[in-house]
Amino acid sequence: MKRLYEAPAYDTARWPDSWWRASVAAIPDHAPLPGLAETEVAIIGAGVTGLNAALELAERFGTAATVLDAGQPGWGASGRNGGFACLGGAKIDDATILARHGAEVLRAFHAFRMAGIDRVADNLDRYRIDADRQPTGEIALAHRPAAMAELDREAALLSDVLGLETERLAPEALAERGLGPSVFHGGIRIGCGFGLHPLKYVLGLAGAAIAAGVKLYGQSPVTAIRPAGNRWRLETPQGSLTADRVILATNGYTAEDIPPALAGRVLPAFSSILVTRPLTTAERSAAGWQSPLIAFDSRTLLHYFRLLPDGRFLFGMRGGLSARTGAQAAIRRMARRHLEALFPAWAHVETPYFWSGLIALTWRLAPSIAALPGRPGLFAALGYHGNGVAAGSEAGRRVARCAMGAEAAIPALLARPPARFPLAPLRRAGLGAAYLRYRLADGPVSA
Ligand SMILES: Cc1cc2nc3c(=O)[nH]c(=O)nc-3n(C[C@H](O)[C@H](O)[C@H](O)COP(=O)(O)OP(=O)(O)OC[C@H]3O[C@@H](n4cnc5c(N)ncnc54)[C@H](O)[C@@H]3O)c2cc1C
């Protein structure tokens, strides 16, 4: 398989050293695909997208579905993310979508995003998944005074055009709600979204899929996808699966050549997370942070953070261009510096967990849920720009309907296959240049 980053980013023999992995008692080990097999729909990738697609196929259509993962369910981003089930999916902002495409396109995309959040909530209820769901609400924080005006505009658009409840929070209101610290210049509360334990969520989905009759194989990297008459044959090291249709649900772990039709169309990027030891009540008061709501700041290279149910603090950020040990250690140091700058009261607090994973960016800065042109029977759902817990859950459902030829109501913004990046072989260098630009524009991270 051709990959954009070094091998450690794709080492499915190892789980990331995440708090999520450490706080789940046992993870089922699914055996590899053995020998020759057939299915109606093959799904590559056992994250939230692939497993929701499998559930939709089994439950809505009674279709035989087989999921293959190079690792185990949840090994990818779905089992190692920040656990924000929230609005998202695109990197292009709502005001730009409105200006370029009009209110109808924006409303359809927003309805999809909201359906994603509802989908996660419904999955938790329906399959009785205990994933430590937190209260509803998301906080966006202004990292400098001018950013508050941008957040105000965003809040006005969300409430006036999209009918979503929002609330302006001056710095004093933040403090009253247990949303210190004072380094932020106010914020807005968005009335949807919630935190959860992402690995418990995805493992619950995998269990539900198996109970619904889905076949699921771990340690089964698909190394080739070949036409076989009017069907497709997927090769893995120990087996071969023939399918009428194939859904690619590989997001940031998409290989350059699986299938070649996706070459140069996805830009994987790192997102990384630090988790503290449990904070004492006094430590939480010292930083003024008591709220269980999910939060992020207004930087382009944003920080995202939340208090976990056992009092630990999760702190995430984007950046990094290499999976090498030294480069990952540098990102860990940078994340630690940023945590201390934004939450100086916790400068002494240990952060025993650190891990990274890959998200997927696309040239159009929006997800794709579409058939791949010129390849009848191949479909893809990917490109959530670091926000796929909710969006990927819904995209999986819709791509499954699309693969079955049923009405899928895919918003216009998402209904196209991902475009090829110009100068695709230089994507990684281009990302490095973009990070530099964003870092300069975002300004220094300081208390
Ligand atoms: C550190 C981090 C923090 C994040 N935080 C958040 C957050 O708080 N909220 C949010 O909404 N989003 C977040 N995201 C993004 C979110 O996790 C992803 O958008 C989402 O999980 C994508 O789900 P997926 O099922 O499409 O892909 P993934 O979960 O990445 O799964 C893809 C799977 O495909 C498999 N695969 C790839 N190629 C092959 C092949 N050839 N053969 C077989 N299997 C293959 C991989 O093994 C992998 O398991 C974060 C991501 C990271 C990395």
Short mmCIF file of all heavy atoms in Angstrom, two decimals, residues 47-53 78 88-89 112 116 119-120 201 249 251 367 369 381-382 384 387-399:
data_model
loop_
_atom_site.label_atom_id
_atom_site.label_comp_id
_atom_site.label_asym_id
_atom_site.label_seq_id
_atom_site.Cartn_x
_atom_site.Cartn_y
_atom_site.Cartn_z
N GLY A 47 -14.51 1.91 11.18
CA GLY A 47 -14.68 3.06 12.07
C GLY A 47 -16.16 3.41 12.09
O GLY A 47 -17.02 2.61 11.69
N VAL A 48 -16.47 4.63 12.53
CA VAL A 48 -17.88 5.01 12.63
C VAL A 48 -18.56 5.01 11.26
O VAL A 48 -19.75 4.68 11.15
CB VAL A 48 -18.08 6.38 13.32
CG1 VAL A 48 -17.67 6.31 14.78
CG2 VAL A 48 -17.33 7.50 12.62
N THR A 49 -17.82 5.37 10.20
CA THR A 49 -18.44 5.41 8.87
C THR A 49 -18.78 4.00 8.41
O THR A 49 -19.93 3.71 8.04
CB THR A 49 -17.49 6.07 7.85
OG1 THR A 49 -17.12 7.36 8.32
CG2 THR A 49 -18.15 6.21 6.49
N GLY A 50 -17.77 3.13 8.41
CA GLY A 50 -17.98 1.78 7.89
C GLY A 50 -19.00 1.00 8.71
O GLY A 50 -19.83 0.28 8.14
N LEU A 51 -18.98 1.16 10.03
CA LEU A 51 -19.90 0.38 10.87
C LEU A 51 -21.33 0.89 10.74
O LEU A 51 -22.28 0.11 10.75
CB LEU A 51 -19.42 0.39 12.32
CG LEU A 51 -18.10 -0.37 12.52
CD1 LEU A 51 -17.51 -0.10 13.91
CD2 LEU A 51 -18.29 -1.88 12.32
N ASN A 52 -21.50 2.21 10.59
CA ASN A 52 -22.86 2.72 10.36
C ASN A 52 -23.38 2.28 9.00
O ASN A 52 -24.56 1.97 8.85
CB ASN A 52 -22.91 4.24 10.49
CG ASN A 52 -23.17 4.67 11.92
OD1 ASN A 52 -24.30 4.57 12.41
ND2 ASN A 52 -22.13 5.10 12.61
N ALA A 53 -22.47 2.22 8.01
CA ALA A 53 -22.89 1.73 6.69
C ALA A 53 -23.34 0.28 6.81
O ALA A 53 -24.39 -0.12 6.28
CB ALA A 53 -21.73 1.86 5.70
N SER A 78 -11.59 6.72 14.66
CA SER A 78 -12.86 6.60 15.41
C SER A 78 -12.67 6.16 16.85
O SER A 78 -13.48 6.49 17.71
CB SER A 78 -13.79 5.61 14.70
OG SER A 78 -14.15 6.11 13.44
N GLY A 88 -20.11 19.63 12.32
CA GLY A 88 -18.81 19.65 11.66
C GLY A 88 -18.80 18.80 10.41
O GLY A 88 -19.84 18.33 9.94
N GLY A 89 -17.62 18.59 9.91
CA GLY A 89 -17.44 17.79 8.70
C GLY A 89 -16.68 18.57 7.65
O GLY A 89 -15.78 18.06 7.01
N PHE A 112 -27.88 17.89 7.52
CA PHE A 112 -27.06 16.67 7.56
C PHE A 112 -26.22 16.64 8.85
O PHE A 112 -26.14 15.63 9.54
CB PHE A 112 -26.16 16.64 6.31
CG PHE A 112 -25.08 15.59 6.38
CD1 PHE A 112 -25.34 14.28 6.02
CD2 PHE A 112 -23.81 15.92 6.82
CE1 PHE A 112 -24.35 13.31 6.09
CE2 PHE A 112 -22.81 14.96 6.90
CZ PHE A 112 -23.08 13.65 6.54
N GLY A 116 -26.40 14.03 11.95
CA GLY A 116 -25.24 13.28 12.45
C GLY A 116 -25.24 13.22 13.97
O GLY A 116 -25.02 12.16 14.57
N ARG A 119 -27.95 11.07 15.06
CA ARG A 119 -27.62 9.67 14.74
C ARG A 119 -26.77 9.04 15.84
O ARG A 119 -27.02 7.91 16.27
CB ARG A 119 -26.85 9.62 13.40
CG ARG A 119 -26.35 8.26 13.01
CD ARG A 119 -27.47 7.29 12.67
NE ARG A 119 -28.18 7.72 11.49
CZ ARG A 119 -29.34 7.19 11.07
NH1 ARG A 119 -29.90 6.20 11.75
NH2 ARG A 119 -29.94 7.64 9.99
N VAL A 120 -25.78 9.81 16.31
CA VAL A 120 -24.93 9.27 17.39
C VAL A 120 -25.79 9.01 18.63
O VAL A 120 -25.72 7.94 19.25
CB VAL A 120 -23.77 10.23 17.73
CG1 VAL A 120 -22.94 9.69 18.88
CG2 VAL A 120 -22.88 10.45 16.50
N TYR A 201 -17.95 3.97 22.05
CA TYR A 201 -18.97 4.15 21.00
C TYR A 201 -18.70 3.20 19.82
O TYR A 201 -19.58 2.44 19.40
CB TYR A 201 -18.98 5.61 20.54
CG TYR A 201 -19.88 5.90 19.33
CD1 TYR A 201 -21.20 5.46 19.29
CD2 TYR A 201 -19.39 6.63 18.24
CE1 TYR A 201 -22.01 5.74 18.19
CE2 TYR A 201 -20.20 6.91 17.14
CZ TYR A 201 -21.51 6.46 17.11
OH TYR A 201 -22.30 6.72 16.03
N ALA A 249 -14.48 3.32 3.42
CA ALA A 249 -14.73 4.11 4.65
C ALA A 249 -13.40 4.22 5.39
O ALA A 249 -13.29 3.89 6.56
CB ALA A 249 -15.80 3.44 5.49
N ASN A 251 -11.21 7.07 5.33
CA ASN A 251 -10.93 8.46 5.75
C ASN A 251 -9.43 8.79 5.78
O ASN A 251 -8.76 8.71 4.76
CB ASN A 251 -11.60 8.73 7.10
CG ASN A 251 -11.87 10.20 7.31
OD1 ASN A 251 -12.42 10.86 6.42
ND2 ASN A 251 -11.49 10.77 8.44
N PRO A 367 -16.77 17.09 3.09
CA PRO A 367 -16.78 15.64 2.92
C PRO A 367 -17.33 15.21 1.56
O PRO A 367 -17.99 16.00 0.88
CB PRO A 367 -17.73 15.15 4.03
CG PRO A 367 -17.87 16.29 4.99
CD PRO A 367 -17.65 17.53 4.19
N ILE A 369 -19.60 12.06 -0.18
CA ILE A 369 -20.39 10.83 -0.05
C ILE A 369 -20.87 10.55 -1.46
O ILE A 369 -21.81 11.18 -1.95
CB ILE A 369 -21.62 11.03 0.88
CG1 ILE A 369 -21.18 11.62 2.22
CG2 ILE A 369 -22.37 9.73 1.06
CD1 ILE A 369 -22.34 12.00 3.14
N ALA A 381 -17.19 7.34 1.37
CA ALA A 381 -17.68 8.37 2.31
C ALA A 381 -16.49 8.74 3.18
O ALA A 381 -16.02 7.93 3.98
CB ALA A 381 -18.83 7.83 3.16
N LEU A 382 -16.01 9.96 3.00
CA LEU A 382 -14.80 10.37 3.74
C LEU A 382 -14.58 11.88 3.64
O LEU A 382 -15.29 12.58 2.92
CB LEU A 382 -13.57 9.62 3.20
CG LEU A 382 -13.40 9.45 1.69
CD1 LEU A 382 -12.97 10.74 1.03
CD2 LEU A 382 -12.39 8.36 1.40
N TYR A 384 -13.79 14.30 6.60
CA TYR A 384 -14.57 15.05 7.60
C TYR A 384 -13.77 16.16 8.28
O TYR A 384 -14.24 16.75 9.26
CB TYR A 384 -15.13 14.08 8.66
CG TYR A 384 -15.79 12.87 8.07
CD1 TYR A 384 -15.25 11.59 8.24
CD2 TYR A 384 -16.94 12.99 7.29
CE1 TYR A 384 -15.84 10.47 7.68
CE2 TYR A 384 -17.54 11.87 6.72
CZ TYR A 384 -16.97 10.62 6.91
OH TYR A 384 -17.56 9.52 6.35
N ASN A 387 -13.65 16.23 12.05
CA ASN A 387 -14.94 16.32 12.73
C ASN A 387 -15.90 15.26 12.22
O ASN A 387 -16.96 15.58 11.70
CB ASN A 387 -15.55 17.70 12.45
CG ASN A 387 -15.50 18.57 13.67
OD1 ASN A 387 -15.91 18.16 14.75
ND2 ASN A 387 -14.96 19.75 13.50
N GLY A 388 -15.52 14.00 12.41
CA GLY A 388 -16.31 12.95 11.78
C GLY A 388 -17.08 12.04 12.72
O GLY A 388 -17.70 11.08 12.25
N VAL A 389 -17.07 12.30 14.03
CA VAL A 389 -17.81 11.40 14.92
C VAL A 389 -19.29 11.41 14.52
O VAL A 389 -19.90 10.36 14.27
CB VAL A 389 -17.62 11.79 16.40
CG1 VAL A 389 -18.53 10.96 17.30
CG2 VAL A 389 -16.16 11.61 16.81
N ALA A 390 -19.86 12.62 14.43
CA ALA A 390 -21.26 12.73 14.04
C ALA A 390 -21.41 12.64 12.52
O ALA A 390 -22.21 11.85 12.01
CB ALA A 390 -21.83 14.05 14.55
N ALA A 391 -20.60 13.44 11.80
CA ALA A 391 -20.75 13.48 10.33
C ALA A 391 -20.48 12.11 9.72
O ALA A 391 -21.18 11.67 8.80
CB ALA A 391 -19.80 14.53 9.74
N GLY A 392 -19.45 11.39 10.22
CA GLY A 392 -19.13 10.07 9.66
C GLY A 392 -20.23 9.07 9.97
O GLY A 392 -20.53 8.20 9.15
N SER A 393 -20.84 9.20 11.16
CA SER A 393 -21.91 8.27 11.52
C SER A 393 -23.07 8.41 10.52
O SER A 393 -23.63 7.41 10.06
CB SER A 393 -22.41 8.55 12.95
OG SER A 393 -21.38 8.28 13.89
N GLU A 394 -23.41 9.65 10.19
CA GLU A 394 -24.51 9.86 9.25
C GLU A 394 -24.08 9.55 7.82
O GLU A 394 -24.85 8.99 7.04
CB GLU A 394 -25.03 11.30 9.36
CG GLU A 394 -26.30 11.59 8.59
CD GLU A 394 -27.48 10.70 8.98
OE1 GLU A 394 -27.47 10.10 10.07
OE2 GLU A 394 -28.41 10.60 8.16
N ALA A 395 -22.84 9.90 7.49
CA ALA A 395 -22.35 9.62 6.12
C ALA A 395 -22.38 8.12 5.84
O ALA A 395 -22.71 7.69 4.73
CB ALA A 395 -20.93 10.17 5.97
N GLY A 396 -22.03 7.32 6.85
CA GLY A 396 -22.05 5.86 6.67
C GLY A 396 -23.45 5.39 6.31
O GLY A 396 -23.64 4.55 5.42
N ARG A 397 -24.45 5.93 7.01
CA ARG A 397 -25.84 5.54 6.73
C ARG A 397 -26.22 5.91 5.30
O ARG A 397 -26.84 5.15 4.57
CB ARG A 397 -26.79 6.24 7.71
CG ARG A 397 -26.56 5.89 9.16
CD ARG A 397 -27.09 4.52 9.47
NE ARG A 397 -26.74 4.10 10.82
CZ ARG A 397 -27.38 3.11 11.47
NH1 ARG A 397 -28.36 2.46 10.90
NH2 ARG A 397 -27.01 2.77 12.68
N ARG A 398 -25.82 7.14 4.92
CA ARG A 398 -26.28 7.63 3.60
C ARG A 398 -25.53 6.96 2.46
O ARG A 398 -26.10 6.72 1.40
CB ARG A 398 -26.15 9.15 3.55
CG ARG A 398 -26.99 9.78 4.67
CD ARG A 398 -27.67 11.02 4.30
NE ARG A 398 -28.25 11.59 5.53
CZ ARG A 398 -28.84 12.75 5.61
NH1 ARG A 398 -28.95 13.50 4.54
NH2 ARG A 398 -29.34 13.18 6.75
N VAL A 399 -24.23 6.68 2.65
CA VAL A 399 -23.51 6.02 1.55
C VAL A 399 -24.05 4.60 1.35
O VAL A 399 -24.09 4.10 0.21
CB VAL A 399 -21.97 6.04 1.78
CG1 VAL A 399 -21.51 5.02 2.81
CG2 VAL A 399 -21.22 5.84 0.47
#
